[in-house]
Amino acid sequence: MAKTGFLPLLLMFLLLLPTFGVNLSAFSLNLNTDQSALLALKSHITHDPHNLLATNWSSSTYVCNWFGVTCGSRHQRVTALDLSSMDLTGTIPSQLENLSFLSELDIHHNNFHGALPAGLTNLHRLKYLDFGNNSFRGEIPSWFGHFAELQGLWLYGNSFTGVIPSTLGNLSKLETLSLYNNNFIGKIPKTIGNLSNLKWLYLYNSSLSGDLPSGIFYNLSALQELNLGGNHISGRIPNSLFKCKKLTFLSLDTNYLEIGNLTMLHTLDLASNHLEGHLVPGIFDHLSKLQKPRLRGYRICGRIPKSLFECKELKYLSLSQNSLEGNVPIEIGNLTKLEVLFIGHNNFKGQIPSSICNLRSLKVLFLFKNSLEGEIPECIWNMSSSLSHIELKKNNFHGKIPDNFVKGCTLQSFRINHNLLAGSLPRSLDNCRDLKLLDVGNNYLYDSFPNWLGNLDQLQVLILRSNRFYGQVESNNVTFTGLHIIDVSCNNFSGYLPTKFFENLHAIRGREKKGEPKYMMDALTAAIVYYAFDLSFTSKGLKMDFQSLLTSWMVIDFSNNRFRGDIPKSLDLSSNKLQGEIPTELKDLGFLEVLNLSRNNLKGPIPKGKQFDTFTNDSYIGNLGLCGLPLSKSCDKDEETPAKFDSAGDGLNWKFSILMGYGCGLVLGLSVGYIVFTTGKPWWFIKIYERVRQRFAKR
């Protein structure tokens, strides 16, 4: 009976096997085609430094599990190939055209080169094609215009030459066209104006020249970002550009801009160009929604056009590092929504207009490196409840710093160094509990050491150098626990070196340092402000400049004063991330009585002799790589052999997996058979089963 019950199940499997075989054969044939195309690509890779394809793309592995390969859930065909940023070198084989279900092809940021096979046009389903940042040369083939479904085309960062093919205007579904950083010649083809779905067009730094076609922008109603900077385009901007009502980002390479009708424009970026000369009067007329014009770092001269002050929505204004001249316009006070004002490093002169006090939303005020003079308006200090950063260094301001920093002061950085200021340091700075950087160096301030600044537990940088500070640096009740940098050089401080003061500088000693070092910056809604920039310190007699400052920098400069007494006899560098070996030169510090290098990542032998023979193992705990006296770990022993784990369980694992597979298959087969015979369906199979059973019964 058992044998008779098993036979129907076996016959059912044998009868259905041909049907499954036909489908499986067709599926395997198609997938084998995809696999062969990808293996052809692999054979054209001459350099695979990370061995990703060499170890993973194998005929013994299911192709849909290959690295960078994605298959569709319905047809189980390759639909996406992403080999970006793998440092591959090679060429594109013609067999790639056989990936007939491919919709995404991304090989950007590699070193592919050579000719592009025309057969790629057979990839009719292709929607996204990214060949950016490779080494392709020659002209862009005209057949790129045959990808009817293409929505994104990235060919930037290659060495393509010749003209941009006019056939790209056939890509009616294209939304992104990125061809920047190439070596084209000639004009932008007028057919680009046919791309009615285009949103992002990037053609900057591509050696393009000539005029912009007059009607090129009429149909580009969806255009949001346009960057044509760094080219040689001449003439005036066509009126058709003003039809792009959704345009929010514009970058062009001419300083004669007719952009007044772009009423939706809120960002104007003229980066990567060579702008110089005057800004055209009336250039900002009607730009009522303009929020962020960036004109920083050019050779723009003359005065700021008054039309700029009609942009009532302006929140961010950057005109730094130009040659703008004259007085700071009194109309600056009309920009009542302004949050960030960068007009430093120009040739402005005269006084700061009192109208600047109308800017009640102002958070960042950078007027550094000009020729401004006179006294600083007192109202600026009254705005300290809203201002986060004040940068007035390298001007000719005189007078005193008013003592009216309000309670609830929100200042994080205050830099007024290199001016002609006198008097004392205002005690109301104690109200600025968030202050992180204070630089009043190179003035004529006359005061004792500001012990009261020790109450500001956020203070990280304190620079008082080159003033007329005097007296002792008191060490009692002064903490400065967060201070990373203190520079009091070139003053008239006197008395004994404040040993207790140094002991309280916990941040410099590394006790409170957490996480990875970061730049001193403030992320505001309108901008990211690096407020610790253009700093200089003296090291080994040389002046060193820093464009931006890491929070991990530690500086103590007490030089050029009148201190006396002994040098502190302890060196505590514990709880940092120091690496490498302990320098043997430390033996020469004969005055050193205490050394603490614990809880770092030091390795190698501990130096012997002189002071090092007096230090105990407490000086080195937490450095697993150190060896030698006074530690118990000897330096002449080999590293212990890593423990080996028994791998006998591996065999059990795969045997268990096979048994589980057979068990599941048996249960599934019996379940299907039970359902068939209890329901009587399908009827044709039941009929065949009855005939077979009758033949066995007759025997």
Side-chain angles (χ1 to χ4, degrees):
M1 292 295 295
K3 292 182 179 180
T4 305
F6 176 73
L7 285 174
L9 295 174
L10 178 62
L11 288 170
M12 179 177 67
F13 174 76
L14 293 174
L15 288 169
L16 295 177
L17 183 60
T19 304
F20 290 130
V22 171
N23 293 332
L24 185 62
S25 176
F27 162 76
S28 300
L29 180 62
N30 292 331
L31 196 57
N32 284 339
T33 301
D34 291 351
Q35 185 184 63
S36 298
L38 294 176
L39 289 176
L41 175 61
K42 177 183 176 181
S43 67
H44 281 70
I45 303 292
T46 58
H47 186 53
D48 179 11
H50 308 295
N51 290 320
L52 293 173
L53 303 188
T55 57
N56 182 258
W57 282 26
S58 170
S59 56
S60 61
T61 306
Y62 183 45
V63 65
C64 294
N65 292 335
W66 287 4
F67 183 87
V69 175
T70 301
C71 293
S73 58
R74 180 181 177 186
H75 298 287
Q76 287 296 301
R77 297 290 304 276
V78 176
T79 58
L81 178 61
D82 184 357
L83 302 181
S84 59
S85 302
M86 291 175 56
D87 300 319
L88 300 174
T89 300
T91 57
I92 305 298
S94 59
Q95 291 90 331
L96 215 61
E97 66 185 73
N98 295 327
L99 300 176
S100 54
F101 278 73
L102 197 66
S103 63
E104 299 180 24
L105 176 56
D106 186 353
I107 59 170
H108 83 269
H109 204 69
N110 284 291
N111 192 27
F112 284 98
H113 55 276
L116 295 172
L120 291 179
T121 54
N122 292 329
L123 304 179
H124 301 300
R125 292 181 170 87
L126 207 59
K127 294 182 179 180
Y128 303 99
L129 178 60
D130 193 343
F131 285 175
N133 273 342
N134 277 283
S135 300
F136 293 111
R137 297 179 179 274
E139 297 188 7
I140 295 177
S142 60
W143 46 260
F144 265 93
H146 296 163
F147 295 109
E149 301 297 320
L150 205 62
Q151 298 177 25
L153 176 60
W154 295 269
L155 301 177
Y156 63 90
N158 283 280
S159 298
F160 286 116
T161 57
V163 298
I164 297 176
S166 59
T167 53
L168 294 185
N170 300 333
L171 304 176
S172 58
K173 295 185 178 182
L174 200 65
E175 297 180 356
T176 302
L177 178 58
S178 183
L179 307 179
Y180 65 89
N181 285 347
N182 280 290
N183 299 311
F184 300 121
I185 60 174
K187 300 181 179 181
I188 298 174
K190 188 174 182 178
T191 54
I192 296 295
N194 298 336
L195 305 177
S196 58
N197 288 304
L198 198 63
K199 297 179 181 178
W200 300 281
L201 177 58
Y202 305 112
L203 301 176
Y204 57 91
N205 294 339
S206 293
S207 302
L208 294 167
S209 60
D211 297 337
L212 288 171
S214 58
I216 187 172
F217 297 107
Y218 273 125
N219 295 324
L220 302 185
S221 57
L223 195 61
Q224 298 178 20
E225 297 189 8
L226 172 64
N227 195 334
L228 306 178
N231 286 292
H232 308 290
I233 300 171
S234 58
R236 298 190 178 188
I237 297 175
N239 290 331
S240 58
L241 179 62
F242 308 137
K243 300 292 184 181
C244 304
K245 299 299 184 182
K246 295 183 179 180
L247 196 63
T248 60
F249 179 96
L250 174 64
S251 180
L252 301 164
D253 79 328
T254 173
N255 63 330
Y256 193 85
L257 303 174
E258 295 179 289
I259 58 176
N261 292 330
L262 295 175
T263 56
M264 295 295 292
L265 193 69
H266 67 70
T267 301
L268 173 62
D269 192 341
L270 303 175
S272 301
N273 292 293
H274 301 283
L275 293 176
E276 59 181 277
H278 295 263
L279 290 170
V280 179
I283 184 176
F284 298 104
D285 284 345
H286 310 301
L287 295 186
S288 58
K289 296 185 182 297
L290 190 64
Q291 297 178 17
K292 292 185 178 182
R294 298 186 180 101
L295 303 171
R296 176 178 178 270
Y298 300 107
R299 290 175 288 181
I300 299 174
C301 58
R303 299 175 183 267
I304 302 175
K306 290 187 177 182
S307 58
L308 175 64
F309 306 116
E310 300 299 324
C311 302
K312 303 298 185 181
E313 299 295 319
L314 207 62
K315 295 182 179 180
Y316 173 102
L317 177 59
S318 178
L319 298 172
S320 297
Q321 299 181 28
N322 283 292
S323 299
L324 293 168
E325 57 191 27
N327 295 329
V328 177
I330 192 173
E331 293 85 358
I332 195 80
N334 297 339
L335 305 177
T336 55
K337 294 187 178 181
L338 199 64
E339 297 179 9
V340 177
L341 177 59
F342 290 143
I343 57 174
H345 209 160
N346 279 288
N347 298 321
F348 290 114
K349 61 182 181 180
Q351 297 186 349
I352 299 175
S354 59
S355 63
I356 205 167
C357 301
N358 297 334
L359 307 180
R360 297 298 179 182
S361 299
L362 198 63
K363 297 179 180 178
V364 179
L365 176 62
F366 277 22
L367 305 178
F368 62 93
K369 289 186 179 180
N370 280 288
S371 298
L372 298 170
E373 57 189 12
E375 295 188 3
I376 301 169
E378 287 194 17
C379 65
I380 288 182
W381 319 120
N382 293 329
M383 295 165 61
S384 59
S385 60
S386 61
L387 279 167
S388 299
H389 306 280
I390 299 178
E391 175 69 77
L392 304 176
K393 72 172 188 176
K394 295 186 178 179
N395 281 285
N396 299 310
F397 295 120
H398 63 264
K400 297 182 178 181
I401 305 175
D403 195 9
N404 60 346
F405 289 89
V406 300
K407 288 188 176 181
C409 166
T410 57
L411 274 182
Q412 295 185 37
S413 69
F414 177 38
R415 301 180 66 185
I416 199 167
N417 51 298
H418 290 86
N419 279 286
L420 307 172
L421 298 166
S424 60
L425 201 60
R427 298 303 191 266
S428 58
L429 272 171
D430 185 59
N431 292 324
C432 304
R433 312 301 295 182
D434 295 327
L435 193 64
K436 298 178 181 178
L437 184 151
L438 176 61
D439 187 352
V440 296
N442 296 88
N443 279 287
Y444 297 101
L445 298 176
Y446 183 77
D447 202 349
S448 59
F449 181 77
N451 293 319
W452 45 273
L453 287 175
N455 298 324
L456 304 179
D457 53 8
Q458 297 294 319
L459 192 62
Q460 300 178 27
V461 178
L462 175 60
I463 300 176
L464 307 176
R465 70 164 173 254
S466 298
N467 277 283
R468 297 175 179 177
F469 287 98
Y470 61 89
Q472 296 186 4
V473 178
E474 298 291 342
S475 57
N476 296 327
N477 301 320
V478 180
T479 54
F480 290 101
T481 54
L483 209 59
H484 290 214
I485 292 170
I486 178 169
D487 186 350
V488 299
S489 62
C490 302
N491 279 286
N492 293 315
F493 291 116
S494 59
Y496 290 95
L497 278 173
T499 303
K500 291 292 185 181
F501 178 84
F502 295 134
E503 291 179 357
N504 289 330
L505 299 178
H506 297 311
I508 288 181
R509 294 165 59 188
R511 292 275 175 87
E512 295 185 356
K513 190 165 58 173
K514 299 178 181 179
E516 296 298 323
K518 299 178 180 178
Y519 285 101
M520 298 184 70
M521 54 171 281
D522 186 14
L524 302 172
T525 55
I528 295 178
V529 179
Y530 291 87
Y531 54 85
F533 70 98
D534 195 22
L535 286 167
S536 62
F537 303 104
T538 301
S539 176
K540 297 182 180 181
L542 298 175
K543 181 181 176 182
M544 301 177 65
D545 296 322
F546 297 86
Q547 290 303 311
S548 53
L549 198 67
L550 286 167
T551 56
S552 59
W553 273 97
M554 310 295 174
V555 176
I556 300 178
D557 192 343
F558 274 54
S559 63
N560 289 296
N561 282 283
R562 299 178 181 179
F563 292 112
R564 64 179 186 272
D566 297 329
I567 299 175
K569 297 181 179 181
S570 65
L571 178 61
D572 189 343
L573 299 174
S574 61
S575 300
N576 280 285
K577 296 182 179 180
L578 302 177
Q579 301 178 0
E581 298 185 356
I582 301 174
T584 57
E585 290 82 359
L586 288 178
K587 293 192 300 183
D588 298 330
L589 301 180
F591 61 84
L592 205 59
E593 294 182 1
V594 177
L595 175 66
N596 190 352
L597 300 175
S598 61
R599 292 181 294 278
N600 280 287
N601 298 316
L602 299 170
K603 63 180 181 179
I606 297 173
K608 299 178 181 179
K610 296 184 179 180
Q611 298 297 98
F612 276 85
D613 292 342
T614 66
F615 302 140
T616 65
N617 59 355
D618 291 340
S619 298
Y620 311 108
I621 59 174
N623 294 277
L624 300 180
L626 288 178
C627 59
L629 294 174
L631 301 179
S632 58
K633 182 179 179 181
S634 176
C635 294
D636 55 2
K637 288 186 177 181
D638 296 332
E639 294 290 328
E640 294 183 6
T641 304
K644 295 182 179 180
F645 296 94
D646 186 12
S647 60
D650 293 343
L652 179 62
N653 289 338
W654 70 263
K655 293 177 182 177
F656 179 74
S657 300
I658 293 177
L659 290 174
M660 284 293 293
Y662 277 119
C664 292
L666 179 61
V667 172
L668 180 62
L670 292 175
S671 300
V672 172
Y674 175 77
I675 293 171
V676 168
F677 287 105
T678 54
T679 60
K681 296 178 181 180
W683 66 268
W684 55 267
F685 179 78
I686 299 297
K687 189 173 182 180
I688 294 174
Y689 167 75
E690 290 295 336
R691 290 178 182 175
V692 173
R693 189 177 65 81
Q694 290 174 4
R695 290 180 182 177
F696 277 101
K698 290 179 180 180
R699 294 182 181 179

